[in-house]
Amino acid sequence: MIDKTYDVGIYCRLSNDDERDGESVSIENQKLLLQNYVRQRGWNEVDVYIDDGYSGTNFNRPGVKRLIEDAKAKRINLILVKDLSRFGRNYIEFGQYTDYLFPSIGCRFIALNNGIDTMSDNGSTDVMCFLNLFNEFYSRDTSKKVKAVKKACAENGKFMGTYPAYGYKRDPEDKHHLVIDEDTAPVVRRIFAMRASGMGFHAIAVILNEEGIQSPGTLYYQRKGQNDPRRVNHQWADATVKNLIRNEVYIGNMVQGKTGTMSYKSRKLVSKPEDEWIRVEGTHEAIISQEVWDTVVSIDQKRVRKKKTSDGYKSIFTGLIYCADCGFKMRNHTEKFTYKDGSPGRYSSFICGNYARSGKSACTVHTIYENVLEQLVLADIREKAQFAEHDPQRLAQQIIRLKEKEARTRLSSYEQELKTAVARISELERLMQNLYEDKCAGTIPQTVFQTLMKKYESERAEKAGAVPELERKVRSHLENRQDADHWTEVIRRYTEITELDETILFELVERIEVGDTKKVNGLRVCDIKVYYRYVGNIDDALNQERRDQYEKAV
């Protein structure tokens, strides 16, 4: 007897994570198989619900949602799937539908290949929970394998992202390799150049927007020929510029694995700690040089904030000048005046920030006019550039000797600190173990145990937190040769400069220390020390080089 009482909803799903074994699991073959089954029984096919490319580990899928809504609305009273795994691979959510929802609304459920029929009394539903459990185990195992493959590819420097960073595109011959996008790479170079001059993220974004340069997201959808579905203003923003500038992809490095899912059941992305990131150097052609990157990183570390004055003036030295005595950053101070002809003028100077904030009880004024400072720094840069041009290898050797001499004492101190900290951590862990054993044995009361344990744990955490920084300092003192060679290569470009700008300063200078003003023979003088990036203050090395040249001449 043919049963014509059922209004059937056919459900088909295929996920990128599922095993695609030829035609047997394709959407079209699932659909044909199930439609034939419906026709043979004379049932009424109401609709076909399809989710193509969706994982079965959760039920947040458009096809499933529409299917459930129609079942609740009594539009269908039978759900037909090829097998249980097509409907879903989440054991708990699956059971909520088949054990509670479908029976409560009078909806029959059939998984054809598994022989599951909720209206049958042959005991087929008794094994359904085990099949669902196995399907979930399969998803978890597949997820682990996919993640392992992706991690291995990332560790080999292959690009595993959805779309390349702004300024790059996929290599037509290898989708896991990046090549420079000549249309957008000039914008990237300009952004880095603006930041290297000390310009802030917001100021850069404003300039890009004013010039009508499309933001990365807007350009992405335009190239795909699609409308941008995001509810955004389609403009460059501070965060967009900041993320671009801090991306190592622009110096040829691939940094991946910064985010991941909480589990194979959830698609929500969470940030991973930096020590879990996968970083591979030299995977593709760089858009910017290492020097520009180092300059931008240096500016970020200094947290340079250049505030415009009422007439728009900004000092090129802001963020680089420090008091030699108290170590505070020096503040830019301007004094306006009027020339005899009525035209406006100004004096720009720097004073100790500690003095400006708290007065002479904190520090002295340490004042210096900006035009004087500029002349002194310009002369210092040219002098060092000329030495580097004359004999770079010899100068590098002098710098290395000086740095190693200075570093030996500090390195020994850091190594001793590191050794002491590691030993103390081991001792604290032993004390905590003994304390716990005494507490279990009843030797000490609970209150004493809690007090001592808290004290030991606090000290242990403090020591453990200091160890990575000490290790970094030890490593940094072993890199003098590379830094000296790099510095001589950079400084040699500036033998003939006639004026300073922010880009030159941020590329060359780490900090400038200004000493207090003193009177010598009726003149006001102060000591200025320029600390260069990579090598610091090298006046002693240059003095030694002068002495060597003098002795050689004599």
Side-chain angles (χ1 to χ4, degrees):
M1 180 177 177
I2 298 177
D3 184 357
K4 298 183 178 180
T5 61
Y6 285 104
D7 296 319
V8 183
I10 294 174
Y11 180 76
C12 305
R13 181 186 67 83
L14 191 63
S15 166
N16 294 329
D17 296 333
D18 292 320
E19 181 182 0
R20 296 174 180 256
D21 53 352
E23 294 295 314
S24 61
V25 296
S26 70
I27 289 290
E28 191 60 33
N29 276 277
Q30 290 180 55
K31 179 180 174 181
L32 290 174
L33 174 68
L34 300 176
Q35 286 177 330
N36 287 335
Y37 185 81
V38 171
R39 282 196 295 268
Q40 290 171 5
R41 280 149 185 77
W43 293 340
N44 177 36
E45 178 188 325
V46 175
D47 204 348
V48 178
Y49 305 82
I50 295 175
D51 284 318
D52 193 1
Y54 287 85
S55 171
T57 54
N58 67 74
F59 284 80
N60 186 26
R61 310 192 299 267
V64 162
K65 287 181 176 180
R66 192 165 63 88
L67 176 75
I68 300 304
E69 288 173 1
D70 285 352
K72 289 180 178 179
K74 305 296 183 179
R75 185 166 178 253
I76 59 175
N77 56 9
L78 189 152
I79 295 174
L80 180 64
V81 298
K82 175 179 175 286
D83 55 56
L84 294 175
S85 67
R86 295 304 97 201
F87 188 60
R89 296 180 183 274
N90 188 309
Y91 172 73
I92 295 176
E93 287 192 68
F94 196 112
Q96 289 176 342
Y97 286 112
T98 57
D99 295 344
Y100 299 101
L101 178 63
F102 295 160
S104 69
I105 61 177
C107 186
R108 183 177 176 183
F109 179 84
I110 296 177
L112 189 58
N113 284 4
N114 300 121
I116 301 296
D117 185 347
T118 56
M119 293 294 289
S120 174
D121 57 0
N122 62 2
S124 63
T125 56
D126 295 341
V127 299
M128 186 164 57
C129 61
F130 296 105
L131 293 174
N132 288 335
L133 194 58
F134 290 142
N135 285 332
E136 181 164 328
F137 285 157
Y138 173 83
S139 290
R140 181 168 60 182
D141 184 58
T142 301
S143 176
K144 288 181 179 179
K145 290 177 180 177
V146 170
K147 286 182 177 179
V149 170
K150 288 183 176 180
K151 182 180 180 183
C153 290
E155 289 173 342
N156 287 327
K158 293 184 177 181
F159 174 66
M160 302 302 294
T162 306
Y163 50 87
Y166 184 80
Y168 285 99
K169 60 184 179 181
R170 293 182 187 273
D171 188 337
E173 298 180 0
D174 181 0
K175 67 178 182 179
H176 296 301
H177 180 252
L178 299 182
V179 294
I180 292 177
D181 181 352
E182 297 299 340
D183 292 334
T184 54
V187 179
V188 173
R189 295 188 185 100
R190 187 173 173 217
I191 290 172
F192 272 91
M194 286 190 285
R195 181 58 177 166
S197 70
M199 192 176 293
F201 303 125
H202 178 72
I204 295 172
V206 168
I207 290 175
L208 296 174
N209 290 328
E210 288 177 347
E211 296 181 2
I213 297 174
Q214 290 182 316
S215 64
T218 303
L219 181 63
Y220 170 76
Y221 285 103
Q222 184 191 72
R223 287 180 168 180
K224 291 186 69 175
Q226 300 177 1
N227 292 326
D228 189 343
R230 303 171 302 157
R231 299 184 64 181
V232 296
N233 62 5
H234 309 294
Q235 299 285 304
W236 287 87
D238 302 15
T240 308
V241 175
K242 182 188 296 184
N243 291 335
L244 185 149
I245 284 174
R246 293 178 177 176
N247 193 344
E248 285 189 54
V249 71
Y250 298 112
I251 53 172
N253 299 341
M254 194 72 72
V255 182
Q256 302 181 96
K258 293 183 178 182
T259 60
T261 55
M262 298 180 67
S263 73
Y264 67 98
K265 293 183 180 181
S266 173
R267 297 296 178 182
K268 182 179 179 181
L269 294 178
V270 294
S271 298
K272 291 184 178 180
E274 190 170 345
D275 58 1
E276 293 183 16
W277 296 355
I278 301 172
R279 184 175 182 272
V280 184
E281 297 183 359
T283 59
H284 53 274
E285 185 180 356
I287 291 180
I288 63 162
S289 66
Q290 184 68 45
E291 289 79 10
V292 173
W293 173 264
D294 290 342
T295 299
V296 168
V297 169
S298 176
I299 291 172
D300 278 353
Q301 291 172 345
K302 292 183 179 70
R303 298 181 179 180
V304 177
R305 300 288 186 272
K306 291 182 180 288
K307 296 182 179 180
K308 286 186 178 180
T309 57
S310 57
D311 56 359
Y313 175 78
K314 294 189 299 182
S315 171
I316 63 174
F317 291 98
T318 300
L320 294 174
I321 314 300
Y322 292 81
C323 174
D325 294 323
C326 71
F328 267 62
K329 280 186 178 180
M330 298 186 71
R331 293 185 183 180
N332 185 221
H333 177 68
T334 58
E335 304 170 51
K336 296 181 180 179
F337 63 90
T338 304
Y339 289 103
K340 292 181 179 180
D341 61 3
S343 60
R346 74 135 51 81
Y347 291 118
S348 175
S349 62
F350 283 87
I351 61 173
C352 172
N354 199 12
Y355 171 85
R357 186 180 68 176
S358 305
K360 61 183 180 182
S361 61
C363 194
T364 52
V365 64
H366 286 74
T367 186
I368 185 171
Y369 282 109
E370 183 174 353
N371 61 340
V372 175
L373 179 65
E374 183 172 355
Q375 293 172 12
L376 293 173
V377 174
L378 178 61
D380 195 77
I381 290 174
R382 292 190 61 173
E383 178 192 32
K384 292 179 171 60
Q386 289 165 1
F387 269 100
E389 178 70 19
H390 173 68
D391 191 346
Q393 292 301 320
R394 186 171 178 180
L395 178 59
Q397 290 296 334
Q398 294 285 11
I399 294 171
I400 292 168
R401 291 194 199 102
L402 172 66
K403 292 302 165 187
E404 288 181 347
K405 181 180 179 181
E406 293 176 348
R408 267 192 288 270
T409 302
R410 290 199 296 268
L411 180 60
S412 176
S413 175
Y414 291 147
E415 287 176 334
Q416 184 58 44
E417 281 186 63
L418 180 60
K419 182 178 178 181
T420 302
V422 171
R424 181 56 178 167
I425 290 172
S426 298
E427 182 183 3
L428 288 168
E429 289 175 347
R430 179 181 58 79
L431 289 172
M432 292 166 70
Q433 178 65 30
N434 292 341
L435 187 63
Y436 180 76
E437 292 175 356
D438 290 343
K439 181 252 185 183
C440 293
T443 307
I444 60 173
Q446 179 70 17
T447 54
V448 175
F449 168 77
Q450 291 177 339
T451 301
L452 291 176
M453 183 63 77
K454 184 177 180 180
K455 176 183 176 182
Y456 290 157
E457 175 56 30
S458 177
E459 185 181 354
R460 191 201 67 79
E462 181 184 350
K463 297 293 183 185
V467 165
E469 179 63 16
L470 289 171
E471 291 176 339
R472 185 195 66 77
K473 288 180 177 179
V474 170
R475 287 195 303 270
S476 69
H477 279 81
L478 303 176
E479 299 173 353
N480 286 330
R481 173 78 242 186
Q482 182 178 356
D483 287 344
D485 288 340
H486 186 67
W487 180 81
T488 55
E489 179 184 347
V490 173
I491 194 72
R492 289 168 64 186
R493 306 172 192 162
Y494 298 101
T495 55
E496 302 298 330
I497 60 170
T498 57
E499 62 178 314
L500 293 177
D501 59 32
E502 291 171 309
T503 302
I504 294 173
L505 281 175
F506 282 121
E507 181 179 15
L508 295 178
V509 178
E510 183 67 31
R511 62 190 281 140
I512 301 169
E513 291 186 357
V514 177
D516 199 7
T517 303
K518 300 176 182 177
K519 280 191 175 183
V520 178
N521 298 326
L523 297 176
R524 294 174 66 251
V525 297
C526 66
D527 188 26
I528 306 293
K529 288 186 177 180
V530 181
Y531 290 81
Y532 291 91
R533 290 173 55 201
Y534 310 112
V535 295
N537 183 270
I538 60 166
D539 286 334
D540 288 344
L542 288 178
N543 290 335
Q544 182 62 49
E545 176 66 13
R546 292 188 186 97
R547 287 193 291 270
D548 291 346
Q549 290 178 356
Y550 175 76
E551 292 172 0
K552 184 178 180 181
V554 172

